[in-house]
Amino acid sequence: MHLSWRVIRPFAVCLITTALPSFAQAQTDPGIPVTDSLVQAKCSTCHVADERGNLQRISWARTTPEGWQATIQRMVRENNVALTPPEARAIVRYLSTRHGLAPEEAKPVMYYAERRVHDESATLDAAVVEACGKCHEAARALSWRRTADGWKQFAGAHASRYKFTPDRDVVAALTTAAPFASREWTSWSARTSRPDLTGRWLITAHVPGHGNFSGEMMVDSAGGSDEFATRVRVRSVYDGSLLVRNGRSVVYGGTAWRGRSRGDEAADVPPDSLSSEARESMWVSPDGSKVEGRWFWGQYDELGFDVTMRRAASDPALLLVDPPSIKAGSKANRIRLIGDRFPARVTPADITAGSGVTVRRIISSTSGEIIAEVDVAPSAVSGPRNVSFRTSTLERAVAIYDRVDYVKVTPESSLATFGSQAYSRGVQQFEALGCQRGADGKLHTADDLELGPVQVAWSMEVFYETDPNKQERVGTVSPTGFFLPAAENPGTNVDVWIVATATTEKGQDGKPLVGKGYLVVTVPTYTFEGRTYVRELGRWVETESGAQ
């Protein structure tokens, strides 16, 4: 994880020490002793140590690398803690490892570290979402683990800092949802060794607008037990083009992968280039056999790869099936099974895809790809199917459907941003997916079946505007669904429909299917009633609050 730090004024006394002495004494949990000499030297002046080596507040808090990084930056910025960049990185590394989260604790809030726009209302406590979501994602708070007293003290300090009255129900919800002590952490912190992540990994990735990729990543040690150098080679499932990326990463505590990588041709590339330098934020499974997450870049981290990695083994492994959907009642469909270590001899009996799907013959096979011909019975039940090659099964690998009912544009609602002297333009990549009504027979409901990308022609419509030249002053959408705002900032927000008109799929009325995505093209900052707000990912935050 590459952090940006600066050397600042000499060490000064922490402003919150007067409120702390009773905190350690009130704890019934034994805490996590701080054993690192650098952390002791830099933190113990304000965070007093007890006889067991616990430091006030620090020993009763756990969080992600992003949480510790933000905390240390605040100590540097507001409390005049003097740190060199190497010292700051070393402290983040120690605290993220010894005072971090277990994999099971980190997984539910990984979208925050992966910089994804995420609807929290369906999965998190409503009071927490309401209270925390006014300034940032609730996952930012739920990425921390504190004792009951720790949450009370945090809420009081936070309320004093940002001028609000703490809600007891919210504090109680945080205490229940994110306790300091947990069975997961007890088990994880007691492990005697970390998974060995070096070696060959099989990788699949999806990039909106570019489709699926598959290939391998080689992971080598880069000097420390948690530092790695990586080299990725993946090919596009769509056109076979090769993408090579090189990177470096730190895996905190054996579970939190944070790094950077770039393609071999990363200089002077367009903003949506897959060779762009990207941050990597990924989750490592407890047994070290699987890694998943996101690689992202852009002014607002709006572009990226969705990545899944699995440890390469000696047995055949099925990674992807293309195309991702097959129509019921169709015959002689060619499908590609993409994987690793397929044997020299392959027969139709080696491949299964459930009732109603018959593998007629194997057209060709190599160690990395099998092309087979399949029939799908008219009576085959619509829905996702697992596909297996011998003992390797890929869940929900292909969808069986009877017709394409509508086109869905993703993201369904989004932001793009005009640029300024301080901010680059914020772009947006759209994708058009074919969908079939679900079991309820209704369109646009939760049980609808996604069938994968469909061929479309992209266009845009500016709300309440009949002048076609106005569109050019707002931005352009490319043939691949990439929206780029106009270079000139008009100083106002503009509402736009991004329209995908299917070129091959038609509705029951015989007309091409059409999908729309709602886009607001915004200014990067604005001032309202004397307060300045700046766009941050999928929301606006007040710069004076420091909540960005």
Side-chain angles (χ1 to χ4, degrees):
M1 184 177 183
H2 298 269
L3 308 179
S4 177
W5 300 90
R6 59 189 176 91
V7 181
I8 67 166
R9 297 180 296 277
F11 186 88
V13 175
C14 176
L15 299 180
I16 60 174
T17 52
T18 56
L20 292 179
S22 63
F23 180 75
Q25 297 170 4
Q27 299 308 304
T28 57
D29 191 285
I32 304 173
V34 175
T35 59
D36 182 76
S37 60
L38 178 61
V39 178
Q40 291 171 341
K42 294 296 184 180
C43 302
S44 61
T45 302
C46 297
H47 300 270
V48 180
D50 65 15
E51 67 281 359
R52 292 176 294 185
N54 293 321
L55 296 186
Q56 290 174 336
R57 299 192 72 169
I58 294 174
S59 288
W60 288 276
R62 299 187 287 110
T63 189
T64 61
E66 290 76 19
W68 285 122
Q69 177 186 348
T71 297
I72 292 170
Q73 288 176 333
R74 183 165 59 84
M75 294 297 101
V76 169
R77 183 176 63 248
E78 298 179 3
N79 299 326
N80 297 328
V81 176
L83 292 174
T84 65
E87 288 174 335
R89 287 193 287 269
I91 291 175
V92 169
R93 182 174 299 181
Y94 173 80
L95 293 175
S96 299
T97 299
R98 297 292 300 275
H99 301 246
L101 300 184
E104 298 87 350
E105 296 174 315
K107 184 71 178 292
V109 291
M110 271 301 297
Y111 61 86
Y112 181 69
E114 293 168 351
R115 302 291 289 166
R116 297 182 190 273
V117 177
H118 180 80
D119 180 9
E120 297 182 317
S121 62
T123 58
L124 300 181
D125 182 276
V128 174
V129 173
E130 171 65 20
C132 301
K134 293 177 180 178
C135 299
H136 52 73
E137 291 89 344
R140 178 169 174 173
L142 293 170
S143 295
W144 283 84
R145 296 294 185 271
R146 294 183 171 94
T147 63
D149 287 338
W151 278 118
K152 290 177 184 178
Q153 190 170 81
F154 166 80
H158 210 57
S160 175
R161 178 183 180 85
Y162 297 116
K163 313 301 182 186
F164 67 89
T165 301
D167 187 321
R168 292 183 178 180
D169 291 339
V170 173
V171 175
L174 289 170
T175 301
T176 300
F180 175 72
S182 71
R183 288 180 297 177
E184 294 82 7
W185 175 251
T186 298
S187 175
W188 181 249
S189 59
R191 72 202 188 285
T192 57
S193 62
R194 302 175 188 172
D196 180 10
L197 301 180
T198 59
R200 180 172 177 259
W201 291 78
L202 306 178
I203 181 170
T204 57
H206 179 76
V207 186
H210 296 269
N212 292 326
F213 292 77
S214 68
E216 66 178 21
M217 173 189 280
M218 296 301 301
V219 179
D220 296 309
S221 177
S225 61
D226 56 1
E227 295 184 40
F228 303 95
T230 62
R231 183 168 178 82
V232 173
R233 292 174 59 88
V234 292
R235 289 192 180 275
S236 165
V237 173
Y238 172 68
D239 61 12
S241 58
L242 176 66
L243 175 65
V244 179
R245 295 181 63 87
N246 296 284
R248 294 182 69 90
S249 62
V250 176
V251 181
Y252 299 94
T255 188
W257 179 305
R258 305 293 188 268
R260 290 185 181 271
S261 64
R262 61 185 295 173
D264 285 348
E265 300 175 359
D268 299 323
V269 295
D272 62 334
S273 171
L274 302 188
S275 291
S276 299
E277 182 176 6
R279 290 167 57 192
E280 298 178 353
S281 182
M282 298 195 290
W283 174 87
V284 182
S285 65
D287 63 359
S289 66
K290 183 178 181 180
V291 181
E292 61 186 33
R294 184 169 183 253
W295 306 346
F296 51 88
W297 70 93
Q299 174 67 52
Y300 302 96
D301 302 326
E302 66 269 44
L303 300 171
F305 297 75
D306 294 318
V307 176
T308 299
M309 295 164 46
R310 56 189 287 188
R311 174 75 72 178
S314 57
D315 296 327
L318 179 58
L319 301 178
L320 284 172
V321 176
D322 182 65
S325 60
I326 311 174
K327 191 172 184 178
S330 61
K331 295 184 177 182
N333 298 281
R334 287 197 173 194
I335 65 168
R336 299 166 61 202
L337 280 65
I338 300 169
D340 186 60
R341 298 188 184 277
F342 290 142
R345 178 174 172 76
V346 176
T347 69
D350 291 325
I351 304 169
T352 58
S355 177
V357 180
T358 302
V359 180
R360 297 177 59 179
R361 65 189 180 104
I362 303 300
I363 298 173
S364 65
S365 67
T366 66
S367 62
E369 178 182 277
I370 300 169
I371 299 179
E373 190 173 83
V374 302
D375 295 340
V376 183
S379 59
V381 177
S382 296
R385 299 291 185 90
N386 296 347
V387 176
S388 297
F389 177 81
R390 296 185 181 177
T391 60
S392 179
T393 298
L394 186 62
E395 295 184 354
R396 304 177 69 89
V398 67
I400 304 300
Y401 70 101
D402 58 2
R403 71 169 184 260
V404 179
D405 288 310
Y406 65 95
V407 170
K408 180 171 73 173
V409 172
T410 61
E412 296 182 85
S413 61
S414 58
L415 293 177
T417 311
F418 296 109
S420 67
Q421 291 183 343
Y423 296 92
S424 301
R425 285 178 283 182
V427 301
Q428 189 59 255
Q429 176 67 61
F430 293 90
E431 191 168 47
L433 304 175
C435 295
Q436 180 185 280
R437 70 207 178 285
D440 63 5
K442 300 178 181 179
L443 305 184
H444 305 285
T445 57
D447 71 341
D448 290 359
L449 181 64
E450 290 188 0
L451 307 176
V454 294
Q455 295 182 1
V456 299
W458 292 97
S459 59
M460 58 179 284
E461 300 173 358
V462 179
F463 280 30
Y464 316 118
E465 181 59 54
T466 58
D467 180 5
N469 294 325
K470 175 65 177 293
Q471 295 186 6
E472 297 180 1
R473 299 194 293 272
V474 175
T476 58
V477 58
S478 76
T480 60
F482 178 72
F483 178 82
L484 179 66
E488 183 176 349
N489 184 347
T492 187
N493 296 346
V494 182
D495 297 283
V496 175
W497 284 121
I498 300 297
V499 183
T501 303
T503 58
T504 57
E505 300 294 341
K506 296 183 179 180
Q508 292 179 298
D509 59 1
K511 297 180 180 180
L513 295 172
V514 176
K516 291 185 176 182
Y518 174 56
L519 172 69
V520 180
V521 191
T522 75
V523 294
T525 63
Y526 71 92
T527 300
F528 179 71
E529 296 183 347
R531 297 183 175 183
T532 300
Y533 298 84
V534 60
R535 181 195 160 185
E536 203 281 331
L537 195 58
R539 68 179 65 226
W540 292 92
V541 296
E542 184 181 351
T543 57
E544 295 178 353
S545 72
Q548 54 179 314

